[in-house]
Amino acid sequence: MAGKPKLHYTKGRGKMESIRWLLAAAGVEFEEEFIETKEDLEKLRNDGVLLFQQVPMVEIDGMRMVQTRAILSYIAAKYNLYGKDLKERAWIDMYVEGTTDLMGMIMYLPFQPADTKEKNLALIIERATTRYFPVYEKALKDHGQDYLVGNKLSWADIHLLEAILMAEECKPDILSAFPLLQAFKGRISNIPTIKKFLQPGSQRKPPTDDKFVAVVRKIFNI
């Protein structure tokens, strides 16, 4: 299992996308083995390589890691994106959990019944603009630095940029009231490794569409 990390997941964003983002931002090349059928998932389960019979699963450093949060924490710590001490790590964790909550709402939107989508989209926009984005805008204003924690690129910054771009797919002008976040988006997007990941042809996955929803429902029997 030496060499590049290998990611086992469906050919879409889901819970793996933040892992792709973090590896790419760290400048780490990775391989992907896509689960395209129910049988592919069953094979992984039957082979005993999924600790809780769930994906995402990442083969890295001789481990078969599962549980999204555990995988992300490991990558962040390994590539020096997790703060310099416990307090910085605590702030990174808080910011990441906040963006994860927002991204979770966006991630599940395409899987919801058509008659509730409009209401849930409005809720996402409301939460983004009144609960989540004001926190990051204030943090950047209060310390006047380029990054959220410790004036150094961390997992929190990478996660926030991913969340911003997802939110903009819901409402393109969602950052209109947040000038510091607009500037933050520009800065972080231009970090060379991230800029490369944002280019067409990278391993970044497109927004979830109805076709992909149908595939996921079939694979996971939902």
Side-chain angles (χ1 to χ4, degrees), residues 87-99:
K87 278 192 176 178
E88 285 195 359
R89 187 167 288 200
W91 276 104
I92 289 166
D93 283 341
M94 285 192 282
Y95 288 145
V96 163
E97 290 296 326
T99 41

Side-chain angles (χ1 to χ4, degrees), residues 21 146-147 153 157-158 161 183-192 194-195 198:
W21 264 88
D146 286 348
Y147 305 102
L153 181 70
D157 301 302
I158 297 156
L161 177 61
F184 171 89
K185 175 192 160 190
R187 278 196 305 277
I188 307 302
S189 296
N190 274 305
I191 292 168
I194 295 174
K195 190 174 184 177
L198 292 173

